[in-house]
């Protein structure tokens, strides 16, 4: 008489093998990013990631290619998210800050020009929001000449009593420790330049509402656009930083070919754009960037900034002035990959400095 074969053990083994396979495959897929930057596979993944980022930016740009005219940020601030807070909103913000926060966040010194000060203010706002502190701003800060800043607290000096000093790792390297609360009940003074968008990325909408042009500068920008007859065209702001950067170590400047490449890319994707070029070196831009589809504008620092930030897209070279004009346009931004260069490169980490959807060219 033949023996019966029991299939139960085989069934159990098969089921267990299937479950282990599914578990393994799930975890492999979830952990794939850990191979980034390691060997050939890492290079392929890194390249794919960078290509995907650039493609997302270009796709965003392609959606605008069917436009026949640009959105006029000067005439239509509400549509672009650049609107002033209403009085009742300001009151709520101030009241909320006073109830919620009892300690202050200051800065040791304030170096540089407009772009640096914008980073100081935006980053202090972001850090303060993260650790539940109220940032303070000097009443003489240059950003107050340009923007309608809603101040909860302002002082004559940055110096705070009863404070702890915390510093950044370097100029453009995001220092996560600054976003962490301290155990002591005290004011905090921050030392550094704070040039990373990551400090304020969680309150981006608030920062954009703060950096709104004052009425007189907005009127001047509108007049310039009307005079040049470009109000209804798609405007690309082009900032060319030269001046003190020409001979400064670590601030490599782009050649004309960089601007030509960037302009060509946007011409291929936008309908009849006009390139609005601003620079303190008018001779250089006249020699190289005076083109059939470009105009050159140069007045005061405030007006030049207002012109560039009121454009629809951006091409920038080096420095914080251009960085902020690109950030505030909310369009496609193209930046010069050669900045920063050694030895400044060791103090500025590109992923901490440039948003991931910006396009880098050389």
């Amino acid at each position: 008489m033949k023996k019966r074969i029991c299939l139960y053990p085989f069934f159990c083994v098969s089921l267990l093998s299937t479950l282990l396979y599914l578990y393994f495959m799930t975890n492999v897929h979830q952990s794939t990013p850990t191979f980034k930057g390691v060997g050939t596979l890492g290079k392929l993944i890194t390249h794919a990631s960078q290509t995907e980022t650039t493609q997302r930016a270009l796709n965003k740009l392609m959606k605008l290619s069917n436009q026949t005219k640009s959105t006029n940020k000067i005439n239509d601030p509400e549509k672009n998210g650049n609107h002033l807070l209403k009085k009742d909103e300001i009151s709520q913000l101030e009241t909320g800050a006073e109830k919620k926060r009892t300690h202050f966040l200051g800065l040791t010194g304030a170096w540089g020009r407009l772009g640096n000060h914008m980073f100081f203010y935006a980053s202090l706002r972001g850090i303060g929001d993260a650790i539940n502190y109220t940032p303070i701003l000097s009443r003489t800060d240059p950003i107050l000449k340009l923007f309608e800043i809603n101040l909860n607290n302002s002082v004559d000096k940055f110096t705070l009593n009863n404070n702890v000093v915390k510093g950044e790792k370097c100029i453009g390297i995001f220092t996560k420790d600054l976003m962490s609360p301290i155990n002591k009940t005290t004011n905090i003074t921050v030392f550094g330049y704070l040039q990373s968008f990551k400090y304020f990325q969680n309150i981006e909408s608030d920062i954009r509402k703060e950096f709104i042009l004052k009425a007189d500068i907005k009127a001047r920008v509108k007049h310039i656009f009307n005079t040049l007859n470009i109000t209804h065209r798609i405007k690309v702001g082009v900032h060319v930083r030269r001046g003190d950067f020409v001979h400064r170590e670590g601030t490599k400047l782009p050649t004309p070919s960089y601007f030509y490449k960037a302009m060509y890319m946007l011409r291929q994707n936008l309908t009849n754009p006009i390139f609005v070029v601003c620079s303190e070196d008018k001779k250089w831009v006249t020699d190289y960037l005076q083109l059939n589809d470009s105009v050159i504008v140069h007045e005061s620092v405030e007006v030049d900034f207002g012109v560039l930030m009121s454009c629809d897209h951006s091409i920038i070279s080096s420095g914080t002035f251009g960085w902020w004009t690109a950030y505030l346009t909310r369009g496609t931004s193209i930046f010069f990959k050669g900045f920063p260069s050694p030895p400044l490169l060791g103090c500025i980490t590109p992923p901490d400095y440039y948003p991931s959807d910006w396009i880098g060219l050389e």
Side-chain angles (χ1 to χ4, degrees):
M1 187 172 183
K2 293 183 179 180
K3 293 183 179 179
R4 291 186 178 182
I5 299 175
C6 181
L7 297 179
Y8 182 76
F10 296 95
F11 172 77
C12 292
V13 171
S14 176
L15 178 61
L16 181 60
S17 299
T18 302
L19 290 175
L20 286 173
Y21 173 79
L22 291 174
Y23 174 81
F24 173 77
M25 291 303 293
T26 301
N27 280 275
V28 165
H29 285 297
Q30 289 177 343
S31 61
T32 297
T34 60
F35 288 94
K36 184 175 180 180
V38 181
T40 303
L41 177 59
K43 291 179 181 178
L44 289 173
I45 294 173
T46 301
H47 175 73
S49 177
Q50 292 172 343
T51 302
E52 182 183 356
T53 298
T54 302
Q55 191 59 49
R56 283 201 307 269
L58 288 175
N59 288 341
K60 174 183 174 183
L61 184 60
M62 286 295 290
K63 290 179 182 179
L64 301 171
S65 62
N66 295 324
Q67 292 179 344
T68 56
K69 62 181 180 179
S70 69
T71 301
N72 192 328
K73 295 186 179 183
I74 300 301
N75 293 329
D76 191 14
E78 287 286 337
K79 189 172 182 179
N80 289 276
N82 293 335
H83 61 279
L84 289 173
L85 294 174
K86 298 176 182 179
K87 288 184 178 180
D88 56 341
E89 292 177 318
I90 295 172
S91 176
Q92 289 173 8
L93 283 174
E94 291 177 342
T95 303
E98 290 170 359
K99 287 182 178 179
K100 182 180 179 182
R101 303 174 182 182
T102 58
H103 292 89
F104 300 98
L105 185 70
L107 187 73
T108 56
W111 312 272
R113 297 183 289 185
L114 180 64
N116 283 15
H117 284 259
M118 293 178 69
F119 266 115
F120 291 144
Y121 180 69
S123 294
L124 283 181
R125 283 286 311 272
I127 295 170
D129 186 77
I131 66 175
N132 203 28
Y133 270 55
T134 298
I136 59 174
L137 180 70
S138 170
R139 295 191 185 101
T140 60
D141 196 288
I143 66 174
L144 297 177
K145 296 179 181 179
L146 182 60
F147 302 112
E148 297 283 1
I149 301 294
N150 296 312
L151 292 174
N152 290 330
N153 291 278
S154 61
V155 293
D156 292 320
K157 297 180 180 179
F158 281 116
T159 306
L160 290 170
N161 295 322
N162 182 33
N163 73 92
V164 167
V165 178
K166 298 179 71 173
E168 64 181 5
K169 291 179 181 177
C170 212
I171 296 173
I173 298 178
F174 176 62
T175 306
K176 191 174 181 179
D177 181 60
L178 293 178
M179 309 290 283
S180 302
I182 62 174
N183 294 326
K184 298 180 180 179
T185 304
T186 179
N187 296 325
I188 299 175
T189 300
V190 178
F191 179 83
Y193 286 84
L194 308 177
Q195 292 180 13
S196 173
F197 69 93
K198 292 182 179 179
Y199 289 117
F200 49 87
Q201 63 182 349
N202 290 333
I203 58 165
E204 179 181 350
S205 61
D206 292 336
I207 296 302
R208 292 185 182 280
K209 290 174 184 177
E210 289 281 67
F211 289 144
I212 299 174
L213 294 174
K214 284 184 173 290
D216 58 327
I217 297 174
K218 189 181 295 185
R220 183 60 192 146
V221 172
K222 183 178 179 180
H223 175 74
I224 290 172
F225 286 170
N226 286 335
T227 301
L228 294 171
N229 195 28
I230 60 173
T231 298
H232 299 295
R233 291 184 66 177
I234 298 175
K235 295 176 282 295
V236 179
V238 182
H239 180 244
V240 182
R241 173 70 180 270
R242 291 184 61 78
D244 60 329
F245 272 25
V246 173
H247 302 295
R248 184 184 295 183
E249 197 173 18
T251 55
K252 179 181 177 182
L253 296 178
T255 62
S257 64
Y258 158 74
F259 294 101
Y260 300 152
K261 289 177 187 176
M263 289 176 169
Y264 177 78
M265 178 182 287
L266 295 182
R267 288 191 192 102
Q268 296 300 108
N269 291 281
L270 296 174
T271 303
N272 193 29
I274 182 75
F275 296 94
V276 184
V277 184
C278 289
S279 175
E280 77 276 33
D281 192 339
K282 193 170 183 179
K283 183 181 184 308
W284 194 93
V285 296
T286 301
D287 289 344
Y288 296 106
L289 299 179
Q290 183 72 72
L291 309 171
N292 292 332
D293 56 355
S294 71
V295 293
I296 296 173
V297 176
H298 179 53
E299 290 197 18
S300 64
V301 170
E302 291 80 14
V303 172
D304 284 3
F305 191 97
V307 165
L308 290 170
M309 72 167 278
S310 300
C311 290
D312 303 289
H313 307 282
S314 299
I315 298 171
I316 63 173
S317 53
S318 312
T320 56
F321 185 97
W323 190 99
W324 275 105
T325 63
Y327 183 82
L328 294 174
T329 60
R330 305 189 72 165
T332 295
S333 298
I334 300 176
F335 69 91
F336 175 54
K337 285 177 66 176
F339 175 84
S341 60
L344 189 58
L345 181 58
C347 264
I348 296 180
T349 302
D352 288 349
Y353 186 72
Y354 295 111
S356 61
D357 61 341
W358 290 16
I359 302 172
L361 296 177
E362 284 191 276

